[in-house]
Amino acid sequence: MIKRFKMLLFLMGLLIGGGAMIAATGTTAQAKTSLRYFPTALRRTWYHYEDGHYSRITFGYKHMRTTDYYDGSWHQYTTKIHVRNLNATHVSHHPSWMFATLLYAHKMHWVNLYGWNQGAGDGDFYGVKIRHYRGYRIRTLSIGGGASLWTSGHYYATRKVARNLGTHHFSGVLYYPDF
């Protein structure tokens, strides 16, 4: 389900303006190179539970692996981030590489992940924040995208929390709009 939201967010980003709304206010516009490695807060395995299946995202030092269940089957994707000169006019072709930048929006820090040769769109956003649920502090990985950085879902540090919260929406979060 989250994969379908990611595709919708990507398409909405293209239709609404390709990210100009967010990028101008973040640190992305000021940086000269992309990140060398993922921030420590991301580095772990995160779980999401929906429709009887656990999806998972694992961030390492430089690697990211996703395992999602949608359209009746499992899909796995692995990628590695590389440093990229953000001011370069010519970039070599690497279809499996990614690069990442940092961004601050909606009162939290996000890692914005792009395909190495991505020509349009806003990329995928990943941000970690401690959220509150019924008196408990829950470490949450939020996933977002689109021109306004809409949140499409949350992943959690344990399977138990993922199963209990499922597709819970937290107050104060900008979610993908229902059209």
Side-chain angles (χ1 to χ4, degrees):
M1 185 63 143
I2 287 184
K3 273 289 195 209
R4 282 185 247 149
F5 280 126
K6 283 185 181 180
M7 181 55 75
L8 287 172
L9 291 172
F10 171 75
L11 292 173
M12 288 302 295
L14 290 176
L15 293 173
I16 294 177
M21 209 182 316
I22 296 292
T25 61
T27 57
T28 304
Q30 301 165 1
K32 293 181 180 168
T33 61
S34 62
L35 297 178
R36 294 190 180 283
Y37 48 85
F38 287 113
T40 307
L42 285 178
R43 290 189 230 155
R44 67 178 314 128
T45 298
W46 300 90
Y47 301 95
H48 175 79
Y49 184 80
E50 188 172 353
D51 299 330
H53 300 282
Y54 288 99
S55 295
R56 118 180 131 244
I57 297 176
T58 301
F59 287 95
Y61 184 72
K62 293 184 121 227
H63 291 83
M64 176 185 153
R65 174 178 289 153
T66 63
T67 305
D68 290 314
Y69 185 85
Y70 63 94
D71 292 337
S73 62
W74 289 98
H75 302 270
Q76 188 169 344
Y77 179 73
T78 303
T79 188
K80 182 178 179 181
I81 64 171
H82 294 268
V83 177
R84 177 174 166 177
N85 178 353
L86 299 177
N87 298 322
T89 56
H90 177 69
V91 178
S92 58
H93 185 71
H94 296 288
S96 64
W97 287 13
M98 303 290 268
F99 72 96
T101 59
L102 292 176
L103 176 75
Y104 185 81
H106 306 302
K107 299 180 181 177
M108 66 186 287
H109 294 277
W110 297 87
V111 172
N112 192 0
L113 197 58
Y114 297 93
W116 188 261
N117 299 106
Q118 183 173 337
D122 304 303
D124 294 325
F125 295 87
Y126 300 89
V128 175
K129 187 170 185 174
I130 302 294
R131 302 203 182 271
H132 299 277
Y133 179 75
R134 296 185 180 172
Y136 292 97
R137 294 169 39 94
I138 308 289
R139 185 182 310 245
T140 306
L141 172 70
S142 299
I143 298 175
S148 293
L149 209 165
W150 295 297
T151 298
S152 59
H154 302 289
Y155 281 67
Y156 305 98
T158 67
R159 287 179 181 242
K160 181 178 179 181
V161 174
R163 185 172 180 107
N164 288 334
L165 292 180
T167 59
H168 178 75
H169 283 198
F170 294 96
S171 63
V173 176
L174 179 64
Y175 289 98
Y176 185 76
D178 293 324
F179 292 108

